[in-house]
mmCIF file with all atom_site columns, all heavy atoms in Angstrom:
data_model
loop_
_atom_site.group_PDB
_atom_site.id
_atom_site.type_symbol
_atom_site.label_atom_id
_atom_site.label_alt_id
_atom_site.label_comp_id
_atom_site.label_asym_id
_atom_site.label_entity_id
_atom_site.label_seq_id
_atom_site.pdbx_PDB_ins_code
_atom_site.Cartn_x
_atom_site.Cartn_y
_atom_site.Cartn_z
_atom_site.occupancy
_atom_site.B_iso_or_equiv
_atom_site.pdbx_formal_charge
_atom_site.auth_seq_id
_atom_site.auth_comp_id
_atom_site.auth_asym_id
_atom_site.auth_atom_id
_atom_site.pdbx_PDB_model_num
ATOM 1   N N   . LYS A 1 128 ? 52.529 197.692 132.016 1.00 0.00 ? 128 LYS A N   1
ATOM 2   C CA  . LYS A 1 128 ? 52.219 196.544 132.519 1.00 0.00 ? 128 LYS A CA  1
ATOM 3   C C   . LYS A 1 128 ? 51.080 196.536 133.579 1.00 0.00 ? 128 LYS A C   1
ATOM 4   O O   . LYS A 1 128 ? 50.182 195.649 133.580 1.00 0.00 ? 128 LYS A O   1
ATOM 5   C CB  . LYS A 1 128 ? 53.404 195.714 133.112 1.00 0.00 ? 128 LYS A CB  1
ATOM 6   C CG  . LYS A 1 128 ? 54.456 195.401 132.008 1.00 0.00 ? 128 LYS A CG  1
ATOM 7   C CD  . LYS A 1 128 ? 53.994 194.129 131.184 1.00 0.00 ? 128 LYS A CD  1
ATOM 8   C CE  . LYS A 1 128 ? 54.118 192.806 132.171 1.00 0.00 ? 128 LYS A CE  1
ATOM 9   N NZ  . LYS A 1 128 ? 53.699 191.650 131.374 1.00 0.00 ? 128 LYS A NZ  1
ATOM 10  N N   . TRP A 1 131 ? 47.817 197.165 131.557 1.00 0.00 ? 131 TRP A N   1
ATOM 11  C CA  . TRP A 1 131 ? 47.349 196.141 130.622 1.00 0.00 ? 131 TRP A CA  1
ATOM 12  C C   . TRP A 1 131 ? 46.897 194.941 131.532 1.00 0.00 ? 131 TRP A C   1
ATOM 13  O O   . TRP A 1 131 ? 45.901 194.203 131.046 1.00 0.00 ? 131 TRP A O   1
ATOM 14  C CB  . TRP A 1 131 ? 48.450 195.701 129.828 1.00 0.00 ? 131 TRP A CB  1
ATOM 15  C CG  . TRP A 1 131 ? 48.630 196.480 128.560 1.00 0.00 ? 131 TRP A CG  1
ATOM 16  C CD1 . TRP A 1 131 ? 47.628 197.285 127.998 1.00 0.00 ? 131 TRP A CD1 1
ATOM 17  C CD2 . TRP A 1 131 ? 49.673 196.581 127.633 1.00 0.00 ? 131 TRP A CD2 1
ATOM 18  N NE1 . TRP A 1 131 ? 48.164 197.907 126.819 1.00 0.00 ? 131 TRP A NE1 1
ATOM 19  C CE2 . TRP A 1 131 ? 49.462 197.366 126.616 1.00 0.00 ? 131 TRP A CE2 1
ATOM 20  C CE3 . TRP A 1 131 ? 51.004 195.815 127.654 1.00 0.00 ? 131 TRP A CE3 1
ATOM 21  C CZ2 . TRP A 1 131 ? 50.314 197.604 125.510 1.00 0.00 ? 131 TRP A CZ2 1
ATOM 22  C CZ3 . TRP A 1 131 ? 51.824 196.038 126.670 1.00 0.00 ? 131 TRP A CZ3 1
ATOM 23  C CH2 . TRP A 1 131 ? 51.580 197.009 125.632 1.00 0.00 ? 131 TRP A CH2 1
ATOM 24  N N   . GLU A 1 132 ? 47.473 194.566 132.558 1.00 0.00 ? 132 GLU A N   1
ATOM 25  C CA  . GLU A 1 132 ? 47.276 193.268 133.278 1.00 0.00 ? 132 GLU A CA  1
ATOM 26  C C   . GLU A 1 132 ? 45.757 193.104 133.603 1.00 0.00 ? 132 GLU A C   1
ATOM 27  O O   . GLU A 1 132 ? 45.177 192.035 133.399 1.00 0.00 ? 132 GLU A O   1
ATOM 28  C CB  . GLU A 1 132 ? 48.141 193.144 134.414 1.00 0.00 ? 132 GLU A CB  1
ATOM 29  C CG  . GLU A 1 132 ? 48.138 191.806 135.138 1.00 0.00 ? 132 GLU A CG  1
ATOM 30  C CD  . GLU A 1 132 ? 48.768 190.614 134.189 1.00 0.00 ? 132 GLU A CD  1
ATOM 31  O OE1 . GLU A 1 132 ? 49.398 191.091 133.173 1.00 0.00 ? 132 GLU A OE1 1
ATOM 32  O OE2 . GLU A 1 132 ? 48.441 189.476 134.441 1.00 0.00 ? 132 GLU A OE2 1
ATOM 33  N N   . PRO A 1 133 ? 45.028 193.949 134.329 1.00 0.00 ? 133 PRO A N   1
ATOM 34  C CA  . PRO A 1 133 ? 43.684 193.921 134.801 1.00 0.00 ? 133 PRO A CA  1
ATOM 35  C C   . PRO A 1 133 ? 42.812 193.652 133.452 1.00 0.00 ? 133 PRO A C   1
ATOM 36  O O   . PRO A 1 133 ? 41.834 192.927 133.502 1.00 0.00 ? 133 PRO A O   1
ATOM 37  C CB  . PRO A 1 133 ? 43.273 195.096 135.452 1.00 0.00 ? 133 PRO A CB  1
ATOM 38  C CG  . PRO A 1 133 ? 44.527 195.603 136.021 1.00 0.00 ? 133 PRO A CG  1
ATOM 39  C CD  . PRO A 1 133 ? 45.697 195.279 134.909 1.00 0.00 ? 133 PRO A CD  1
ATOM 40  N N   . SER A 1 134 ? 43.206 194.219 132.428 1.00 0.00 ? 134 SER A N   1
ATOM 41  C CA  . SER A 1 134 ? 42.350 194.244 131.100 1.00 0.00 ? 134 SER A CA  1
ATOM 42  C C   . SER A 1 134 ? 42.685 192.899 130.300 1.00 0.00 ? 134 SER A C   1
ATOM 43  O O   . SER A 1 134 ? 42.086 192.797 129.281 1.00 0.00 ? 134 SER A O   1
ATOM 44  C CB  . SER A 1 134 ? 42.603 195.341 130.283 1.00 0.00 ? 134 SER A CB  1
ATOM 45  O OG  . SER A 1 134 ? 42.049 196.477 130.857 1.00 0.00 ? 134 SER A OG  1
ATOM 46  N N   . ARG A 1 135 ? 43.470 192.041 130.899 1.00 0.00 ? 135 ARG A N   1
ATOM 47  C CA  . ARG A 1 135 ? 43.476 190.573 130.306 1.00 0.00 ? 135 ARG A CA  1
ATOM 48  C C   . ARG A 1 135 ? 42.292 189.860 130.757 1.00 0.00 ? 135 ARG A C   1
ATOM 49  O O   . ARG A 1 135 ? 42.021 188.776 130.319 1.00 0.00 ? 135 ARG A O   1
ATOM 50  C CB  . ARG A 1 135 ? 44.806 189.924 130.665 1.00 0.00 ? 135 ARG A CB  1
ATOM 51  C CG  . ARG A 1 135 ? 45.996 190.513 130.080 1.00 0.00 ? 135 ARG A CG  1
ATOM 52  C CD  . ARG A 1 135 ? 47.259 189.681 130.304 1.00 0.00 ? 135 ARG A CD  1
ATOM 53  N NE  . ARG A 1 135 ? 48.348 189.998 129.519 1.00 0.00 ? 135 ARG A NE  1
ATOM 54  C CZ  . ARG A 1 135 ? 49.523 189.405 129.359 1.00 0.00 ? 135 ARG A CZ  1
ATOM 55  N NH1 . ARG A 1 135 ? 49.768 188.305 130.247 1.00 0.00 ? 135 ARG A NH1 1
ATOM 56  N NH2 . ARG A 1 135 ? 50.497 189.914 128.594 1.00 0.00 ? 135 ARG A NH2 1
ATOM 57  N N   . HIS A 1 136 ? 41.608 190.492 131.844 1.00 0.00 ? 136 HIS A N   1
ATOM 58  C CA  . HIS A 1 136 ? 40.383 189.873 132.423 1.00 0.00 ? 136 HIS A CA  1
ATOM 59  C C   . HIS A 1 136 ? 40.493 188.464 132.941 1.00 0.00 ? 136 HIS A C   1
ATOM 60  O O   . HIS A 1 136 ? 39.513 187.707 133.074 1.00 0.00 ? 136 HIS A O   1
ATOM 61  C CB  . HIS A 1 136 ? 39.221 189.887 131.335 1.00 0.00 ? 136 HIS A CB  1
ATOM 62  C CG  . HIS A 1 136 ? 38.881 191.312 130.915 1.00 0.00 ? 136 HIS A CG  1
ATOM 63  N ND1 . HIS A 1 136 ? 38.115 191.587 129.834 1.00 0.00 ? 136 HIS A ND1 1
ATOM 64  C CD2 . HIS A 1 136 ? 39.066 192.615 131.637 1.00 0.00 ? 136 HIS A CD2 1
ATOM 65  C CE1 . HIS A 1 136 ? 37.813 192.919 129.887 1.00 0.00 ? 136 HIS A CE1 1
ATOM 66  N NE2 . HIS A 1 136 ? 38.455 193.496 130.882 1.00 0.00 ? 136 HIS A NE2 1
ATOM 67  N N   . GLN A 1 137 ? 41.719 188.185 133.348 1.00 0.00 ? 137 GLN A N   1
ATOM 68  C CA  . GLN A 1 137 ? 41.963 186.887 134.005 1.00 0.00 ? 137 GLN A CA  1
ATOM 69  C C   . GLN A 1 137 ? 41.318 186.843 135.444 1.00 0.00 ? 137 GLN A C   1
ATOM 70  O O   . GLN A 1 137 ? 41.113 185.701 135.994 1.00 0.00 ? 137 GLN A O   1
ATOM 71  C CB  . GLN A 1 137 ? 43.400 186.544 133.980 1.00 0.00 ? 137 GLN A CB  1
ATOM 72  C CG  . GLN A 1 137 ? 43.870 186.213 132.457 1.00 0.00 ? 137 GLN A CG  1
ATOM 73  C CD  . GLN A 1 137 ? 45.219 185.864 132.402 1.00 0.00 ? 137 GLN A CD  1
ATOM 74  O OE1 . GLN A 1 137 ? 46.111 186.387 133.055 1.00 0.00 ? 137 GLN A OE1 1
ATOM 75  N NE2 . GLN A 1 137 ? 45.564 185.032 131.491 1.00 0.00 ? 137 GLN A NE2 1
ATOM 76  N N   . TYR A 1 138 ? 41.269 188.019 136.148 1.00 0.00 ? 138 TYR A N   1
ATOM 77  C CA  . TYR A 1 138 ? 40.622 188.067 137.354 1.00 0.00 ? 138 TYR A CA  1
ATOM 78  C C   . TYR A 1 138 ? 39.138 187.807 137.179 1.00 0.00 ? 138 TYR A C   1
ATOM 79  O O   . TYR A 1 138 ? 38.431 187.248 138.138 1.00 0.00 ? 138 TYR A O   1
ATOM 80  C CB  . TYR A 1 138 ? 40.824 189.362 138.058 1.00 0.00 ? 138 TYR A CB  1
ATOM 81  C CG  . TYR A 1 138 ? 39.993 190.607 137.755 1.00 0.00 ? 138 TYR A CG  1
ATOM 82  C CD1 . TYR A 1 138 ? 38.938 190.951 138.278 1.00 0.00 ? 138 TYR A CD1 1
ATOM 83  C CD2 . TYR A 1 138 ? 40.549 191.333 136.572 1.00 0.00 ? 138 TYR A CD2 1
ATOM 84  C CE1 . TYR A 1 138 ? 38.111 191.920 137.852 1.00 0.00 ? 138 TYR A CE1 1
ATOM 85  C CE2 . TYR A 1 138 ? 39.801 192.351 136.151 1.00 0.00 ? 138 TYR A CE2 1
ATOM 86  C CZ  . TYR A 1 138 ? 38.657 192.719 136.775 1.00 0.00 ? 138 TYR A CZ  1
ATOM 87  O OH  . TYR A 1 138 ? 37.931 193.786 136.350 1.00 0.00 ? 138 TYR A OH  1
ATOM 88  N N   . ILE A 1 181 ? 49.267 190.571 121.950 1.00 0.00 ? 181 ILE A N   1
ATOM 89  C CA  . ILE A 1 181 ? 49.181 189.546 123.006 1.00 0.00 ? 181 ILE A CA  1
ATOM 90  C C   . ILE A 1 181 ? 48.085 189.841 124.029 1.00 0.00 ? 181 ILE A C   1
ATOM 91  O O   . ILE A 1 181 ? 47.390 188.944 124.515 1.00 0.00 ? 181 ILE A O   1
ATOM 92  C CB  . ILE A 1 181 ? 50.639 189.440 123.792 1.00 0.00 ? 181 ILE A CB  1
ATOM 93  C CG1 . ILE A 1 181 ? 50.548 188.197 124.668 1.00 0.00 ? 181 ILE A CG1 1
ATOM 94  C CG2 . ILE A 1 181 ? 51.003 190.700 124.489 1.00 0.00 ? 181 ILE A CG2 1
ATOM 95  C CD1 . ILE A 1 181 ? 51.888 187.975 125.479 1.00 0.00 ? 181 ILE A CD1 1
ATOM 96  N N   . GLU A 1 182 ? 47.851 191.125 124.259 1.00 0.00 ? 182 GLU A N   1
ATOM 97  C CA  . GLU A 1 182 ? 46.762 191.453 125.189 1.00 0.00 ? 182 GLU A CA  1
ATOM 98  C C   . GLU A 1 182 ? 45.427 191.131 124.503 1.00 0.00 ? 182 GLU A C   1
ATOM 99  O O   . GLU A 1 182 ? 44.595 190.715 125.274 1.00 0.00 ? 182 GLU A O   1
ATOM 100 C CB  . GLU A 1 182 ? 46.912 193.003 125.441 1.00 0.00 ? 182 GLU A CB  1
ATOM 101 C CG  . GLU A 1 182 ? 48.153 193.565 125.988 1.00 0.00 ? 182 GLU A CG  1
ATOM 102 C CD  . GLU A 1 182 ? 48.646 192.760 127.284 1.00 0.00 ? 182 GLU A CD  1
ATOM 103 O OE1 . GLU A 1 182 ? 47.687 192.554 128.150 1.00 0.00 ? 182 GLU A OE1 1
ATOM 104 O OE2 . GLU A 1 182 ? 49.772 192.446 127.337 1.00 0.00 ? 182 GLU A OE2 1
ATOM 105 N N   . ILE A 1 185 ? 44.981 187.118 124.628 1.00 0.00 ? 185 ILE A N   1
ATOM 106 C CA  . ILE A 1 185 ? 44.692 186.591 125.957 1.00 0.00 ? 185 ILE A CA  1
ATOM 107 C C   . ILE A 1 185 ? 43.347 187.085 126.441 1.00 0.00 ? 185 ILE A C   1
ATOM 108 O O   . ILE A 1 185 ? 42.616 186.249 127.076 1.00 0.00 ? 185 ILE A O   1
ATOM 109 C CB  . ILE A 1 185 ? 45.813 186.955 126.987 1.00 0.00 ? 185 ILE A CB  1
ATOM 110 C CG1 . ILE A 1 185 ? 47.098 186.267 126.574 1.00 0.00 ? 185 ILE A CG1 1
ATOM 111 C CG2 . ILE A 1 185 ? 45.328 186.729 128.374 1.00 0.00 ? 185 ILE A CG2 1
ATOM 112 C CD1 . ILE A 1 185 ? 48.336 186.648 127.491 1.00 0.00 ? 185 ILE A CD1 1
ATOM 113 N N   . ARG A 1 186 ? 42.965 188.315 126.071 1.00 0.00 ? 186 ARG A N   1
ATOM 114 C CA  . ARG A 1 186 ? 41.708 188.789 126.465 1.00 0.00 ? 186 ARG A CA  1
ATOM 115 C C   . ARG A 1 186 ? 40.554 188.021 125.814 1.00 0.00 ? 186 ARG A C   1
ATOM 116 O O   . ARG A 1 186 ? 39.576 187.634 126.467 1.00 0.00 ? 186 ARG A O   1
ATOM 117 C CB  . ARG A 1 186 ? 41.490 190.321 126.083 1.00 0.00 ? 186 ARG A CB  1
ATOM 118 C CG  . ARG A 1 186 ? 40.357 190.950 126.709 1.00 0.00 ? 186 ARG A CG  1
ATOM 119 C CD  . ARG A 1 186 ? 40.583 192.460 126.826 1.00 0.00 ? 186 ARG A CD  1
ATOM 120 N NE  . ARG A 1 186 ? 40.911 193.169 125.618 1.00 0.00 ? 186 ARG A NE  1
ATOM 121 C CZ  . ARG A 1 186 ? 42.093 193.835 125.542 1.00 0.00 ? 186 ARG A CZ  1
ATOM 122 N NH1 . ARG A 1 186 ? 42.994 193.959 126.574 1.00 0.00 ? 186 ARG A NH1 1
ATOM 123 N NH2 . ARG A 1 186 ? 42.409 194.376 124.431 1.00 0.00 ? 186 ARG A NH2 1
ATOM 124 N N   . SER A 1 189 ? 40.198 184.806 127.529 1.00 0.00 ? 189 SER A N   1
ATOM 125 C CA  . SER A 1 189 ? 39.348 184.995 128.928 1.00 0.00 ? 189 SER A CA  1
ATOM 126 C C   . SER A 1 189 ? 37.935 185.069 128.526 1.00 0.00 ? 189 SER A C   1
ATOM 127 O O   . SER A 1 189 ? 37.060 184.542 129.418 1.00 0.00 ? 189 SER A O   1
ATOM 128 C CB  . SER A 1 189 ? 39.965 186.196 129.567 1.00 0.00 ? 189 SER A CB  1
ATOM 129 O OG  . SER A 1 189 ? 41.306 186.109 129.962 1.00 0.00 ? 189 SER A OG  1
ATOM 130 N N   . LEU A 1 293 ? 53.861 179.840 129.968 1.00 0.00 ? 293 LEU A N   1
ATOM 131 C CA  . LEU A 1 293 ? 52.842 180.670 129.263 1.00 0.00 ? 293 LEU A CA  1
ATOM 132 C C   . LEU A 1 293 ? 52.456 180.057 128.029 1.00 0.00 ? 293 LEU A C   1
ATOM 133 O O   . LEU A 1 293 ? 51.316 179.724 127.638 1.00 0.00 ? 293 LEU A O   1
ATOM 134 C CB  . LEU A 1 293 ? 53.339 181.942 128.948 1.00 0.00 ? 293 LEU A CB  1
ATOM 135 C CG  . LEU A 1 293 ? 52.388 182.957 128.125 1.00 0.00 ? 293 LEU A CG  1
ATOM 136 C CD1 . LEU A 1 293 ? 51.079 183.241 128.737 1.00 0.00 ? 293 LEU A CD1 1
ATOM 137 C CD2 . LEU A 1 293 ? 53.179 184.263 127.752 1.00 0.00 ? 293 LEU A CD2 1
ATOM 138 N N   . ASP A 1 344 ? 57.641 187.545 133.441 1.00 0.00 ? 344 ASP A N   1
ATOM 139 C CA  . ASP A 1 344 ? 56.706 188.632 133.746 1.00 0.00 ? 344 ASP A CA  1
ATOM 140 C C   . ASP A 1 344 ? 55.389 188.076 134.429 1.00 0.00 ? 344 ASP A C   1
ATOM 141 O O   . ASP A 1 344 ? 54.370 188.781 134.420 1.00 0.00 ? 344 ASP A O   1
ATOM 142 C CB  . ASP A 1 344 ? 56.436 189.447 132.609 1.00 0.00 ? 344 ASP A CB  1
ATOM 143 C CG  . ASP A 1 344 ? 55.483 188.806 131.538 1.00 0.00 ? 344 ASP A CG  1
ATOM 144 O OD1 . ASP A 1 344 ? 55.295 187.608 131.587 1.00 0.00 ? 344 ASP A OD1 1
ATOM 145 O OD2 . ASP A 1 344 ? 55.022 189.534 130.586 1.00 0.00 ? 344 ASP A OD2 1
ATOM 146 N N   . GLY A 1 346 ? 53.313 186.096 133.448 1.00 0.00 ? 346 GLY A N   1
ATOM 147 C CA  . GLY A 1 346 ? 52.178 185.993 132.382 1.00 0.00 ? 346 GLY A CA  1
ATOM 148 C C   . GLY A 1 346 ? 51.510 184.567 132.436 1.00 0.00 ? 346 GLY A C   1
ATOM 149 O O   . GLY A 1 346 ? 52.372 183.605 132.438 1.00 0.00 ? 346 GLY A O   1
ATOM 150 N N   . HIS A 1 347 ? 50.267 184.455 132.341 1.00 0.00 ? 347 HIS A N   1
ATOM 151 C CA  . HIS A 1 347 ? 49.490 183.258 132.388 1.00 0.00 ? 347 HIS A CA  1
ATOM 152 C C   . HIS A 1 347 ? 48.639 183.192 131.110 1.00 0.00 ? 347 HIS A C   1
ATOM 153 O O   . HIS A 1 347 ? 48.031 184.234 130.713 1.00 0.00 ? 347 HIS A O   1
ATOM 154 C CB  . HIS A 1 347 ? 48.658 183.086 133.655 1.00 0.00 ? 347 HIS A CB  1
ATOM 155 C CG  . HIS A 1 347 ? 49.437 182.800 134.836 1.00 0.00 ? 347 HIS A CG  1
ATOM 156 N ND1 . HIS A 1 347 ? 49.621 181.625 135.377 1.00 0.00 ? 347 HIS A ND1 1
ATOM 157 C CD2 . HIS A 1 347 ? 50.160 183.702 135.673 1.00 0.00 ? 347 HIS A CD2 1
ATOM 158 C CE1 . HIS A 1 347 ? 50.407 181.769 136.494 1.00 0.00 ? 347 HIS A CE1 1
ATOM 159 N NE2 . HIS A 1 347 ? 50.744 182.885 136.581 1.00 0.00 ? 347 HIS A NE2 1
#
Side-chain angles (χ1 to χ4, degrees):
K128 292 281 288 180
W131 276 344
E132 190 67 17
S134 288
R135 290 186 171 188
H136 290 169
Q137 292 175 325
Y138 78 95
I181 188 175
E182 305 305 315
I185 291 177
R186 192 154 54 238
S189 294
L293 173 63
D344 72 346
H347 290 259

